[in-house]
Amino acid sequence: MAAIPEKIGKYVVSDEVARGGMGVVYKAVHPSLKRDVVIKKMSGRGSAEARERFKREAQILLDMQNPYIVHLFDYFTEGSYRYMVEEFVDGMALDKLIKKQKKLGTELSLLILLDACYALKYAHGKGVVHRDIKPGNILISRRAEIKLTDFGIATDDTFENTEPSITMNRTKSSSKDSKSGENADATIAVSAPPADATIADTGVTKSGTMLGTPAYMPPEQFVDSRSVDKRADIYALGIMLYEMVTGEKPFAVSTPEQMVSAVRKGHYIRPGKIDKSINPIVDRLVKKMLKANPAARFQSVDPIIKIIRRYLKHFDTHELRILLAKIIISSNPLKIPEFVPDKKDRVFLGIGVGFAACAVLFCLWTKGLVHKTVLRPWFTPVTITMQMPQTHGTGLPVYAYFFKNDGGKIPEVRGSRRSFIGSDSENAYIKPVYLRPGLYRIKIVAGSYVWWESVSVGKENTNFDYSFLKNAYRPLSVKINVRDDKGKDLNSLARCTILFNGKWIPIKEMPAKRFISGNVWKIRVTCDGYKEELFSLLIDWYQDEVIISANLHSIL
């Protein structure tokens, strides 16, 4: 095994994470931020096309400022080697999680898929198609944070005709323990028929080039990777969902050639038939996402997000994320419990009641009219009003949960979960919850804030007015990376200042106690010989970290 270097650039190397034919991945420490990072070192023996793809990945990641996507801190060259410095995610990749747990169940799988959809919604919004969505590229931290990584073969609107055409050679392995044989999980680049097509070595993709991981590629990506769009990523998400709930891939083949045939036929056993405990919503999602014809799939991740959120609203997602974190931390697989949804507004109708009567009664029940009238002597309407901090139009969803304070198990009151209406305004509120008089506990969840109160409910209408969030704020931290338009590192030369009390002061001199969320902050980046960049940032009350990538343009 090769010796681990003590330093790479300004970074102190602590460990080797992975090694492959294309290069090495190290764990290191950022000298100024004092946090762990990952350094990807590209082998100096790589082809010109591979080096260009490595650089292109860095350029794409530079614009990806999103909590669901791994952050790029730096890109530089030393000698014949190229390096990328990325956020270190302390946890494991989804493929390792599936290997450990075998199956993740409906709720955990949909929670992971939802965050992956958020990442792709952001990337697709910037015109970026990932083209290599798979469990190995989904990282899960020990705090159950889910992040998309590896944009090595991604494409966007600004990088047309810049991909290499390589004949039947693997360019990259999907994981540290991938083998060089016929592995459908390895990312490959091959040139498809006709056999007499000229192989270009100019870095220009010819029609018929295939890039990606066969096990997760849709039919059109096998034909020509250059022409695929975001619907290819949606297809790959469908494969990933199938694998999370069943522990298997839908097409059990071992070579890219067999995969092409299987994908085009589109025959697979639906998840619900493999495991009866899988909710039918998974079958419906997979069926739509794995359509061979791109026009028949979901045309964006938006409807997928909507379907998953509608399903998960019946569960405590905070508890789901806690379980996911425990699974990541545990060295052994954990038993995933059966999650019972909170079935709201269920109406039990007697046998023989006519259809019209059922419809009327159901309408009265869902609108709370039955509790207001017939059941009012036994149930008390309870509402909550919450004074919210000032926001800038990106209000955080806030939820209320009610529990029976029985001095024992503290069970949740069935059908009592509520989301606050108007959480981006000064006063938010919930629709009434009807409770029998007695002792209860209220849990309010707003992002990372969890608040409990023990309350008593009598027979009179009750409203709880809370203001604990009104003046909430978080201390801010800022990370600024400065480069010029050619990629030159300007961090040591640039001056970063912030407007404070009407004066521009160095950002390092900004009083920490005054640098808080819930404000508009102006940050200026200047450097001799370059045009300045001014950032006017609206920071909402619940946000606590600002990451700025400033690209300065020469005035010469």
Side-chain angles (χ1 to χ4, degrees):
M1 181 176 178
I4 300 175
E6 292 184 3
K7 291 188 71 176
I8 296 177
K10 63 183 180 180
Y11 304 93
V12 179
V13 178
S14 59
D15 196 9
E16 180 179 308
V17 178
R19 178 179 292 269
M22 293 300 295
V24 189
V25 179
Y26 296 105
K27 181 181 176 183
V29 178
H30 194 293
S32 57
L33 299 178
K34 305 300 181 185
R35 63 186 296 177
D36 291 332
V37 295
V38 166
I39 300 179
K40 292 183 179 179
K41 173 185 176 182
M42 182 180 180
S43 171
R45 300 188 302 272
S47 65
E49 292 87 354
R51 291 194 297 272
E52 179 61 29
R53 183 176 288 127
F54 192 77
K55 178 181 178 182
R56 190 169 103 187
E57 179 182 5
Q59 290 172 316
I60 289 176
L61 274 177
L62 189 64
D63 292 329
M64 293 289 159
Q65 306 297 328
N66 184 270
Y68 300 101
I69 297 175
V70 167
H71 178 67
L72 176 71
F73 287 106
D74 203 356
Y75 172 81
F76 61 95
T77 60
E78 264 191 7
S80 61
Y81 297 104
R82 297 181 179 224
Y83 299 90
M84 267 193 289
V85 182
E86 297 179 359
E87 172 186 2
F88 173 70
V89 179
D90 186 13
M92 68 172 59
L94 178 57
D95 60 342
K96 298 294 189 296
L97 178 61
I98 295 173
K99 184 176 181 180
K100 182 172 78 169
Q101 287 289 140
K102 305 302 182 186
K103 301 177 183 179
L104 302 181
T106 298
E107 290 74 34
L108 280 183
S109 297
L110 290 179
L111 181 70
I112 294 170
L113 186 71
L114 179 62
D115 284 2
C117 284
Y118 286 144
L120 284 177
K121 177 179 174 68
Y122 180 85
H124 292 167
K126 286 184 168 290
V128 175
V129 181
H130 190 280
R131 299 196 299 183
D132 200 18
I133 297 296
K134 58 186 178 184
N137 289 337
I138 303 295
L139 304 181
I140 308 174
S141 77
R142 295 166 67 89
R143 295 185 297 177
E145 298 165 321
I146 297 161
K147 294 178 181 284
L148 175 62
T149 187
D150 200 344
F151 284 71
I153 63 170
T155 184
D156 68 5
D157 297 336
T158 64
F159 289 98
E160 297 181 358
N161 301 324
T162 59
E163 293 167 345
S165 176
I166 304 173
T167 271
M168 293 304 293
N169 286 320
R170 295 186 191 281
T171 62
K172 181 180 175 188
S173 172
S174 66
S175 64
K176 183 179 179 180
D177 56 359
S178 292
K179 294 181 172 59
S180 59
E182 295 296 338
N183 181 0
D185 284 352
T187 304
I188 66 170
V190 304
S191 182
D196 59 350
T198 301
I199 304 303
D201 58 5
T202 60
V204 178
T205 299
K206 302 299 182 183
S207 179
T209 295
M210 180 176 73
L211 291 168
T213 303
Y216 303 89
M217 286 164 50
E220 68 270 20
Q221 195 165 347
F222 284 98
V223 177
D224 186 1
S225 297
R226 191 183 69 172
S227 64
V228 301
D229 55 27
K230 58 187 177 182
R231 294 173 296 183
D233 288 344
I234 290 172
Y235 182 95
L237 284 177
I239 299 287
M240 195 171 78
L241 174 58
Y242 189 104
E243 191 173 356
M244 284 192 287
V245 295
T246 67
E248 306 170 4
K249 297 181 180 66
F251 309 112
V253 297
S254 59
T255 69
E257 292 77 11
Q258 293 172 338
M259 184 63 66
V260 173
S261 175
V263 166
R264 286 174 177 167
K265 291 177 182 177
H267 299 315
Y268 59 87
I269 302 173
R270 63 180 179 83
K273 191 172 182 180
I274 296 175
D275 186 345
K276 301 295 185 183
S277 68
I278 296 173
N279 191 282
I281 189 177
V282 173
D283 285 346
R284 294 195 293 271
L285 282 170
V286 167
K287 182 179 180 181
K288 182 81 170 175
M289 296 165 81
L290 296 191
K291 292 290 186 181
N293 182 358
R297 291 176 213 144
F298 293 108
Q299 300 302 291
S300 75
V301 295
D302 289 332
I304 303 174
I305 291 173
K306 184 177 180 180
I307 291 169
I308 297 176
R309 290 183 64 176
R310 187 188 306 135
Y311 177 79
L312 290 180
K313 75 177 182 180
H314 299 293
F315 301 86
D316 188 339
T317 53
H318 182 67
E319 296 299 327
L320 285 174
R321 209 169 285 276
I322 289 175
L323 173 62
L324 180 58
K326 289 180 179 178
I327 293 173
I328 294 295
I329 294 171
S330 174
S331 57
N332 298 312
L334 299 183
K335 182 179 180 181
I336 297 177
E338 180 180 354
F339 295 97
V340 179
D342 178 22
K343 298 180 180 179
K344 296 181 179 180
D345 306 321
R346 170 180 273 176
V347 180
F348 296 96
L349 303 176
I351 298 176
V353 178
F355 175 80
C358 292
V360 172
L361 184 58
F362 180 75
C363 181
L364 293 174
W365 185 275
T366 56
K367 293 184 178 298
L369 296 178
V370 172
H371 288 90
K372 288 180 181 179
T373 54
V374 179
L375 300 179
R376 180 61 185 89
W378 299 278
F379 288 87
T380 301
V382 177
T383 56
I384 298 176
T385 303
M386 174 79 73
Q387 296 183 52
M388 300 297 295
Q390 181 181 0
T391 69
H392 302 289
T394 57
L396 191 68
V398 184
Y399 301 94
Y401 304 82
F402 291 81
F403 299 83
K404 182 69 176 176
N405 194 355
D406 61 356
K409 295 184 177 180
I410 315 295
E412 184 176 355
V413 178
R414 184 178 297 274
S416 66
R417 298 182 186 183
R418 296 289 188 271
S419 60
F420 278 83
I421 299 169
S423 60
D424 58 349
S425 59
E426 183 177 352
N427 290 296
Y429 63 93
I430 66 167
K431 292 182 178 179
V433 174
Y434 291 88
L435 303 174
R436 290 180 179 273
L439 301 178
Y440 295 88
R441 289 182 185 175
I442 298 175
K443 180 175 79 169
I444 297 178
V445 179
S448 60
Y449 292 88
V450 180
W451 183 87
W452 288 84
E453 183 180 36
S454 299
V455 299
S456 175
V457 175
K459 293 186 176 183
E460 299 297 324
N461 290 15
T462 303
N463 178 71
F464 295 104
D465 192 354
Y466 297 131
S467 60
F468 65 90
L469 284 178
K470 182 178 181 181
N471 298 312
Y473 66 86
R474 299 174 71 89
L476 288 177
S477 64
V478 62
K479 304 182 186 103
I480 303 177
N481 187 38
V482 187
R483 296 184 173 279
D484 68 7
D485 49 6
K486 296 182 180 178
K488 179 182 176 181
D489 189 335
L490 299 177
N491 286 294
S492 61
L493 302 174
R495 296 177 295 278
C496 301
T497 56
I498 187 168
L499 188 61
F500 178 64
N501 287 341
K503 297 179 180 180
W504 290 98
I505 64 172
I507 200 162
K508 293 181 179 180
E509 298 178 8
M510 177 67 192
K513 292 183 178 180
R514 302 291 300 277
F515 192 34
I516 58 176
S517 62
N519 292 287
V520 179
W521 292 104
K522 292 187 177 181
I523 296 176
R524 184 172 62 187
V525 181
T526 60
C527 186
D528 294 340
Y530 295 88
K531 296 179 181 178
E532 72 172 40
E533 284 283 315
L534 178 64
F535 298 86
S536 185
L537 308 173
L538 301 173
I539 310 298
D540 256 322
W541 65 272
Y542 55 86
Q543 297 167 337
D544 58 12
E545 187 174 33
V546 179
I547 299 174
I548 297 175
S549 294
N551 296 314
L552 304 186
H553 297 274
S554 174
I555 59 177
L556 301 179

